[in-house]
Amino acid sequence: MIVNINGRDLLASPEETLLQVARRNGIAIPTLCEHAGLEPWGGCRLCVVEMTRGTAGPTRIVPSCLQPAEDGLRVETHTARILRIRAVLLDLLLARAPEARRIQELALAHGVKSTSFVPRVDPDKCILCNICVRACAAVGADALGTAGRGAAGRIALPFGDDASACVGCGACALSCPTGAIEMTDRGSERRIWGRTFQRLPCPACGAPTLTREHAAHLAGRSGLPSESFGMCERCRREQASRQFLDLVGK
Amino acid sequence: MAKRLTVTPSRCIGCRTCEIACAFSHPVEAPVGPPRPGLTRIRAFPVRPPERGIPVVCLQCDQAACVKVCPTQALQRDDSTGAILVHEERCLRCRACVWACPWGNVGFDGDRTRVYKCDLCGGDPQCARYCPSRALEQLD
């Protein structure tokens, strides 16, 4: 099938989204909530494009990350109307998370130097892209969700403070595109989401490894005993070398 | 059938040239700076006496634990080289692969928050190329 994007006829397959077709052909569309390892979500709306079916159909604004490719679609990714929508979204995000570098850069690229909205009183760096929530679900812990709406919208634990499902793996903090989630490792202690975890000591060298809860979580998912996960990778390599030595003989 | 990186520990002399070859084939970009021997994808553990070593490197397992535990299929086998590669854009940094590999051959670079492992240098593993005693070989 052929999709026309910005005047170019591009080959596409039905499993692809418009965003994927565009990216594959070097057409840059800004995104915030898109993550190659996660299902498309359509939350940030920055990837909106103008789309027309056939030659005389009405023009619709759709998020390209969710729109499957269809034969004969005509798509425009950078019209004045689309750029205006993206500028408004970034203007709003700048009011919400003025210190998020990614937002600053994107806003500037769309001609937004400062927000025209009322800035949040206590801004954080969260841009509500939901990558942390979806990453946590993918990891299998499902400890995070969203709460509130509009300006009060936020990433939150169930009931505001129930971190019991969190295993302290840190995937949310490390995959956050703006560094909005705080995780601190001090010695064997890991603090995240208001909870303090103990990282298991490597049985060989004593260095802190993963949290007890994370080890149990991985054990549950893999069917292996949780002791399989507690040794640091350096010591595991050394252990492997000793096993090989036994195999080949001293 | 792709070639295989073959390890013959009995031939290893423990010189650790493989580690240096690996470090130089996988330079670290700024701001952290070039080759970091601490982050090599291969280690040769010295054994003595007599002077020898045991190389430990990713075996690109057929039933790989790292691939199994990855929640986003960020680890995928490259059929042309047989190497299990990290697709960074898919990775969530949950590090399940790091903890799952029974041989410790998946590492995590905390400075750049990314998982690293042997990629067989795109089909021409430099450790094998520079190994002076053919303990590491790229064989058919």
Side-chain angles (χ1 to χ4, degrees):
Chain A
M1 69 165 70
I2 287 173
V3 177
N4 185 294
I5 304 183
N6 298 350
R8 292 166 62 192
D9 281 334
L10 304 170
L11 272 174
S13 70
E15 307 88 64
E16 279 184 302
T17 63
L18 292 182
L19 179 64
Q20 285 168 326
V21 179
R23 289 243 171 111
R24 192 160 49 70
N25 288 283
I27 300 166
I29 297 176
T31 55
L32 289 170
C33 70
E34 191 265 349
H35 189 291
L38 301 168
E39 290 291 309
W41 188 58
C44 76
R45 292 335 241 199
L46 271 196
C47 73
V48 286
V49 294
E50 282 189 28
M51 177 186 94
T52 316
R53 278 196 183 90
T55 44
T59 295
R60 293 172 57 201
I61 305 261
V62 294
S64 58
C65 69
L66 291 175
Q67 182 61 46
E70 287 171 36
D71 194 42
L73 278 186
R74 282 183 301 127
V75 178
E76 288 290 336
T77 64
H78 285 76
T79 60
R81 194 177 167 201
I82 290 295
L83 291 176
R84 203 161 53 241
I85 293 172
R86 288 185 190 144
V88 171
L89 289 168
L90 289 161
D91 193 350
L92 283 161
L93 281 164
L94 209 53
R96 168 173 190 98
E99 282 160 33
R101 207 189 155 90
R102 191 130 170 229
I103 298 302
Q104 292 169 349
E105 287 167 356
L106 273 171
L108 212 54
H110 285 78
V112 182
K113 291 192 181 76
S114 62
T115 185
S116 57
F117 295 95
V118 181
R120 264 178 69 171
V121 192
D122 51 344
D124 55 26
K125 286 185 180 171
C126 177
I127 54 173
L128 294 178
C129 70
N130 245 39
I131 286 176
C132 53
V133 176
R134 290 177 289 148
C136 189
V139 163
D142 232 336
L144 299 174
T146 46
R149 314 178 127 229
R154 63 192 184 280
I155 302 298
L157 298 163
F159 313 108
D161 61 353
D162 178 11
S164 59
C166 177
V167 296
C169 73
C172 55
L174 295 174
S175 57
C176 174
T178 61
I181 300 171
E182 214 172 297
M183 175 169 85
T184 51
D185 283 345
R186 188 169 295 161
S188 64
E189 253 182 31
R190 168 169 299 168
R191 279 168 192 267
I192 189 163
W193 292 110
R195 190 169 157 196
T196 305
F197 290 92
Q198 283 300 321
R199 292 159 78 203
L200 295 169
C202 168
C205 70
T209 61
L210 75 178
T211 67
R212 190 180 303 281
E213 290 78 1
H214 192 196
H217 177 75
L218 289 176
R221 278 171 79 86
S222 66
L224 293 166
S226 65
E227 300 86 74
S228 326
F229 302 100
M231 192 183 275
C232 78
E233 65 268 25
R234 278 155 210 252
C235 293
R236 242 175 307 142
R237 267 183 175 173
E238 205 173 337
Q239 189 186 48
S241 80
R242 284 197 298 275
Q243 287 167 347
F244 292 148
L245 185 64
D246 288 342
L247 278 177
V248 297
K250 286 171 186 152
Chain B
M1 179 65 200
K3 289 186 170 193
R4 280 220 154 193
L5 174 63
T6 311
V7 185
T8 313
S10 55
R11 290 200 199 125
C12 177
I13 55 172
C15 68
R16 301 173 74 187
T17 303
C18 52
E19 295 182 20
I20 298 297
C22 182
F24 276 91
S25 324
H26 300 92
V28 174
E29 302 91 322
V32 185
R36 279 209 287 175
L39 296 184
T40 53
R41 290 139 170 88
I42 188 168
R43 281 288 315 270
F45 291 91
V47 185
R48 58 176 73 85
E51 209 64 34
R52 52 188 285 203
I54 302 282
V56 180
V57 65
C58 174
L59 306 170
Q60 320 293 345
C61 308
D62 289 333
Q63 304 275 323
C66 58
V67 173
K68 273 194 191 161
V69 296
C70 180
T72 58
Q73 287 89 50
L75 289 150
Q76 288 175 15
R77 191 179 304 275
D78 179 313
D79 288 327
S80 64
T81 64
I84 294 167
L85 302 180
V86 184
H87 293 265
E88 227 180 284
E89 73 288 355
R90 298 189 68 95
C91 176
L92 299 175
R93 279 80 175 152
C94 73
R95 290 157 290 160
C97 52
V98 176
W99 305 117
C101 174
W103 317 110
N105 282 321
V106 184
F108 186 71
D109 177 352
D111 292 333
R112 288 177 305 151
T113 59
R114 74 185 200 193
V115 165
Y116 64 92
K117 68 175 288 299
C118 172
D119 54 5
L120 293 175
C121 300
D124 181 19
Q126 298 299 295
C127 53
R129 193 171 151 200
Y130 286 98
C131 176
S133 60
R134 293 194 298 119
L136 297 157
E137 291 173 293
Q138 179 76 333
L139 298 177
D140 288 310

